[in-house]
Amino acid sequence: MVDIEKLVALLNSADLPEGEREAWIELVPLLPVDQIEELMVTLETEQSQLTALRQDYLTRAQAVIDESS
Amino acid sequence: MEGNRFGGEGSFSLERRESEASVFLTPEQIQQFEQLSAEVYTKPPEEFIAAEFNELNPEQQEGIEGLEKEYKNAQLVVRGSAAKSRLQLLGQAIQRAAKFLDLDTKEKIMSAALEVIPYVGLAYAFFGKRVVIEKDPETGQHGVSFEDLSILDRVIYLAGEALVSGHALRGALNSIKREGWKKVAVPFAKKVAQDSGQLLVRRVKQGVERELGALPGKGETIGQEEE
């Protein structure tokens, strides 16, 4: 059973190239459930990896800025 | 007799249709999906560091720029790999549809793909077209290259390019009909691959600039380049 709310939330928060979110909105109703689930896993993995990268970058950048000489 | 597997038309296809009914979203789910997707969504603002880039000492500025470069490289790898997965999903969907609809020629597959692809072609023309991102073990820099394209991939490229450059598709289709697939589409797909490569690099550069601009103060120095 696909969690539709989660799917929409993932598509909303994904940092997709312009037009791609709209593309998936058109495409999802045509896809079998296993592929929709695969899409969700891909989006979720990408987002968590990007969030982790950004967090790491911000932490390290803050550390550089805090090094007041 | 393996060959008969997709040939049956009578009771077999009815059975198949019933079993497939449960594999797709229900009409209610599709309706819910469409309603929720139509709602306006505003992304929460991204978190930034409050600091004046120009007020940092040169060492710090260098440090920040190094971190940004590293961050962008890592982002590129994640995004490239995710875009590749999404492209593969799309390819599977088309291949499955091609088999199911008994599309046995390139032309038939192409027309079917064009029904689906225009929505996604644009996005994939920018990013993720069999993009291979490899780290050079010596320099540690990431390089972008393209894998060889299958016929299916060329279809995807063509459709993507068609959206980017307006009427290109109609012309390409007519030429393919006249001159044949190999003579027209293969060079065309190669050119698109090259162009998307350049596009990709340009977009990454813009991304870096935007990211730098997000640090207050640095945006001013970017603006001064216009002189």
Side-chain angles (χ1 to χ4, degrees):
Chain A
M1 184 78 176
V2 175
D3 184 341
I4 300 289
E5 281 183 26
K6 185 179 173 189
L7 172 62
V8 174
L10 281 171
L11 282 170
N12 278 342
S13 53
D15 188 11
L16 300 173
E18 202 182 325
E20 186 173 334
R21 178 181 168 274
E22 291 68 26
W24 284 111
I25 289 172
E26 298 287 346
L27 208 60
V28 158
L30 307 174
L31 293 180
V33 164
D34 59 337
Q35 288 192 344
I36 297 175
E37 281 166 351
E38 217 175 305
L39 172 68
M40 288 170 74
V41 170
T42 306
L43 290 172
E44 204 170 11
T45 310
E46 183 187 17
Q47 284 172 42
S48 64
Q49 284 176 339
L50 288 176
T51 307
L53 283 177
R54 182 162 185 86
Q55 211 48 55
D56 177 58
Y57 158 69
L58 288 176
T59 310
R60 291 166 68 190
Q62 188 66 61
V64 170
I65 291 165
D66 291 343
E67 277 172 25
S68 49
S69 45
Chain B
M1 290 284 272
E2 285 272 308
N4 280 341
R5 203 138 53 102
F6 292 108
E9 279 181 13
S11 58
F12 178 70
S13 61
L14 181 69
E15 233 172 79
R16 198 169 55 174
R17 209 181 304 152
E18 273 175 8
S19 72
E20 278 181 2
S22 60
V23 177
F24 289 88
L25 294 182
T26 63
E28 293 76 30
Q29 282 179 310
I30 292 179
Q31 202 187 5
Q32 189 195 1
F33 176 73
E34 284 170 350
Q35 278 171 357
L36 288 176
S37 305
E39 283 173 16
V40 178
Y41 172 80
T42 331
K43 277 195 184 183
E46 279 198 317
E47 187 192 335
F48 291 118
I49 296 174
E52 291 288 335
F53 188 87
N54 290 339
E55 285 173 12
L56 300 175
N57 67 40
E59 262 175 39
Q60 287 176 317
Q61 291 189 353
E62 211 173 288
I64 294 280
E65 278 169 350
L67 284 176
E68 274 168 354
K69 204 173 167 193
E70 203 182 304
Y71 171 50
K72 282 287 145 192
N73 258 340
Q75 263 191 337
L76 186 63
V77 172
V78 170
R79 288 197 170 129
S81 129
K84 239 170 103 173
S85 312
R86 296 198 300 268
L87 182 65
Q88 274 165 1
L89 266 181
L90 189 68
Q92 284 167 13
I94 292 166
Q95 266 168 335
R96 189 181 300 202
K99 212 178 261 179
F100 185 71
L101 300 171
D102 195 21
L103 303 178
D104 49 359
T105 64
K106 284 173 293 206
E107 288 75 16
K108 282 194 210 165
I109 293 177
M110 184 150 173
S111 345
L114 290 176
E115 293 290 318
V116 184
I117 302 291
Y119 301 116
V120 279
L122 177 64
Y124 284 119
F126 282 132
F127 212 101
K129 286 292 187 190
R130 284 269 183 260
V131 174
V132 184
I133 299 164
E134 278 166 335
K135 198 172 180 179
D136 186 325
E138 280 178 31
T139 62
Q141 295 278 323
H142 287 100
V144 179
S145 59
F146 287 89
E147 278 179 357
D148 285 344
L149 306 169
S150 68
I151 285 174
L152 193 65
D153 291 326
R154 286 183 221 152
V155 170
I156 294 170
Y157 268 108
L158 278 172
E161 171 68 0
L163 272 189
V164 174
S165 62
H167 299 293
L169 180 63
R170 195 169 300 153
L173 279 177
N174 287 334
S175 309
I176 289 167
K177 274 186 205 149
R178 256 195 336 266
E179 317 266 343
W181 174 268
K182 273 199 172 160
K183 211 169 161 189
V184 178
V186 174
F188 187 36
K190 273 189 191 155
K191 186 182 172 298
V192 175
Q194 276 171 4
D195 292 351
S196 344
Q198 286 165 7
L199 220 50
L200 180 75
V201 173
R202 224 180 297 144
R203 279 173 68 87
V204 169
K205 277 188 186 157
Q206 281 169 359
V208 173
E209 278 177 11
R210 272 202 302 273
E211 195 68 29
L212 285 173
L215 280 167
K218 182 68 181 176
E220 291 161 26
T221 55
I222 289 173
Q224 281 160 18
E225 285 170 15
E226 283 166 15
E227 289 171 13

